[in-house]
């Protein structure tokens, strides 16, 4: 993406495709595919493509949002740590709460409707995110320095606060 000066619409389109595959396609696909083995293959393929799209655009989304972050390095580290931590906590909380509610509806004719509703709400929130990003200004991207693979692999180990945050997030993700 570095050669493309204006990336906003490419990123938004890729993010829309990601949300559409990850949320909508996995929600409606079982309605069209009845064979369990075939259904599993479709799930794997859809989720693989959605995850690949997300992995490709995530660094570009980070570069796009960089001008909106605090300029002070200490504040930026705290901000990013807080955002990551709150995101993980909200995600875990939402997953646990929706699982409990879905389990309470087990055997009920309302369980499928509840689960579908949650997935459509998730898609709606994704569309709201995209809509808000449409209004963000796209600043010129800073010219990055050439990184060597060796420095890319060793640089994080020189940032003690980053390592502590990463260790905490690893332990959190591993236990949850």
């Amino acid at each position: 993406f570095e050669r493309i000066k204006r990336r906003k619409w490419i990123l938004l389109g890729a993010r829309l495709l990601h949300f559409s595959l990850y949320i909508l396609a996995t929600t409606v696909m079982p309605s069209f595919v009845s064979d369990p083995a075939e259904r599993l293959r479709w799930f794997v393929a859809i989720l693989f493509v959605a995850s690949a799209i997300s992995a490709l655009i995530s660094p570009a989304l980070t570069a796009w949002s960089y001008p909106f972050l605090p300029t002070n390095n200490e504040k930026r580290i705290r901000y990013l740590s807080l955002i990551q931590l709150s995101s993980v906590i909200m995600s875990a909380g939402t997953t646990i709460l929706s699982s409990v509610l879905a389990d309470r509806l087990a055997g009920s004719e309302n369980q499928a409707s509840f689960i579908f509703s949650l997935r459509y709400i998730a898609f709606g929130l994704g569309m709201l995110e995209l809509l808000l990003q449409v209004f963000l200004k796209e600043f010129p991207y800073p010219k990055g320095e050439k990184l060597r693979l060796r420095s890319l692999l060793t640089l994080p180990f020189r940032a003690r606060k980053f390592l502590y945050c990463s260790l905490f997030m690893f332990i959190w993700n591993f236990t949850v």
Side-chain angles (χ1 to χ4, degrees):
F1 283 114
E2 286 186 7
R3 293 188 184 119
I4 303 170
K5 299 295 180 205
R6 296 283 176 209
R7 308 173 196 166
K8 179 178 179 175
W9 295 106
I10 295 171
L11 295 176
L12 292 177
R15 192 83 169 141
L16 175 63
L17 183 58
H18 166 76
F19 285 141
S20 298
L21 288 171
Y22 197 80
I23 300 171
L24 285 184
T26 57
T27 301
V28 300
M29 182 273 299
S31 302
F32 300 109
V33 181
S34 57
D35 179 48
E38 196 64 29
R39 191 180 286 176
L40 178 63
R41 283 192 274 282
W42 274 101
F43 271 124
V44 168
I46 291 169
L47 293 175
F48 175 79
V49 171
S51 295
I53 291 168
S54 180
L56 286 172
I57 65 170
S58 288
L61 287 169
T62 302
W64 180 22
S65 63
Y66 193 77
F68 301 104
L69 299 176
T71 55
N72 178 290
N73 201 34
E74 287 294 317
K75 287 182 181 180
R76 184 177 28 227
I77 290 170
R78 287 186 186 145
Y79 173 79
L80 292 172
S81 297
L82 181 64
I83 289 294
Q84 179 67 24
L85 180 64
S86 61
S87 173
V88 168
I89 290 172
M90 287 175 53
S91 177
T94 303
T95 301
I96 291 169
L97 180 63
S98 61
S99 297
V100 167
L101 292 173
D103 286 346
R104 285 198 176 162
L105 293 171
S108 161
E109 59 189 43
N110 295 331
Q111 185 183 27
S113 298
F114 175 73
I115 293 171
F116 282 130
S117 297
L118 287 179
R119 294 191 61 79
Y120 292 129
I121 289 170
F123 186 75
L125 289 172
M127 295 304 98
L128 178 63
E129 174 191 321
L130 288 176
L131 180 64
L132 293 174
Q133 288 176 344
V134 164
F135 297 110
L136 291 178
K137 181 179 178 182
E138 187 173 17
F139 294 97
Y141 298 94
K143 198 79 161 151
E145 63 182 64
K146 291 281 185 184
L147 286 177
R148 294 187 177 147
L149 182 60
R150 185 177 202 199
S151 68
L152 184 65
L153 295 175
T154 60
L155 186 65
F157 294 104
R158 292 185 222 143
R160 184 174 297 242
K161 289 181 182 179
F162 171 77
L163 288 176
Y164 287 140
C165 182
S166 296
L167 178 64
F168 179 75
M169 296 311 294
F170 171 78
I171 292 169
W172 175 267
N173 286 326
F174 185 74
T175 58
V176 174

